[in-house]
Structure formats: structure tokens, C-alpha cells
Amino acid sequence: VQLQAFGGGLVQPGDSLRVSCAVSGNCFRIDYMGWYRQALGKQCELVASISSGGRSNYADAVKDRSIISRDNAKSTVDLQMNSLKAEDTAVYYCKVTALVQWLGWAPIDYWGQGTLVTVSS
């Protein structure tokens, strides 16, 4: 199972940005999908997550201005962030929990390589 994240970049405060993550591989089913971020000098934190049934969860810092969505047919998860602030600057990582067939459908966590989002004027 491999994850490819993309969509980061340099934006100004108040702008919107969408980061996306595509999951590829064979013989797995995706359960949990989420986006995390790590700012310089800070711990990694959950930004938003979405279950296989579509239930979403957001960090308080972003919940009123972000939307997480998933496309199960394409094995992708997107995070739309609006009204970006300087404190949103971080490397954003996608994480999935996949049920892997060759491990007896055991749940395994996989992480993407991260995409940098910089919010600055």
C-alpha cells in the first residue's frame, strides 16, 4: 500500500487550499483516512479524519473552515481548507488504516510522504 500526497504550496492568509492523497496497491480495503500536520518545532496533530462510513472528525482549530472528503472508488482523501491562517503552516500528512488481505485482513496504518503548506503574506 502506497500513499501519494499532493496539493501543498504557498498561499496568503485568507486563501483556500485543497490537499489530496491517493492510495494505491493491491489486496487491501481502506478503513480510516485522515490528515495530520506537523508545524516546525511542534508535535504532529490530527487535522481531520473520516471513517469508511463517511463520519468525519475535525480538530477544533480547523473544524469551521475545513472539509474532509473521500472517494472510495478512487481510494482518495481530500482536505479542503478555507480562510487559511499563518498557524496552519505545516507539513500535512495523510494516513490510512488499510485492511490487508495477505495479513489476514489485519488493520495496518500507512503514512504518506507529506506535503508542505505555507501560509504567509
Side-chain angles (χ1 to χ4, degrees):
V1 178
Q2 295 183 323
L3 280 65
Q4 180 71 44
F6 50 94
L10 174 63
V11 296
Q12 294 187 339
D15 284 352
S16 297
L17 186 73
R18 176 186 295 262
V19 290
S20 300
C21 180
V23 186
S24 61
N26 296 302
C27 303
F28 67 95
R29 295 197 301 261
I30 300 174
D31 186 10
Y32 167 100
M33 306 183 88
W35 282 96
Y36 293 72
R37 68 185 181 186
Q38 186 167 26
L40 191 64
K42 295 188 177 181
Q43 289 187 332
C44 187
E45 63 178 359
L46 172 69
V47 179
S49 64
I50 186 166
S51 70
S52 57
R55 179 174 296 180
S56 57
N57 178 54
Y58 298 91
D60 288 343
V62 305
K63 65 180 179 180
D64 294 329
R65 52 192 180 90
S66 297
I67 298 174
I68 188 170
S69 60
R70 62 188 284 170
D71 185 327
N72 293 324
K74 296 181 180 179
S75 298
T76 59
V77 57
D78 293 346
L79 178 67
Q80 174 71 37
M81 296 181 290
N82 304 314
S83 302
L84 284 162
K85 307 174 182 179
E87 49 263 44
D88 294 318
T89 295
V91 177
Y92 284 71
Y93 298 91
C94 59
K95 172 191 169 184
V96 303
T97 300
L99 307 177
V100 182
Q101 183 182 31
W102 60 275
L103 291 175
W105 299 109
I108 305 294
D109 290 340
Y110 295 89
W111 291 83
Q113 84 284 6
T115 184
L116 176 62
V117 173
T118 303
V119 185
S120 175
S121 56

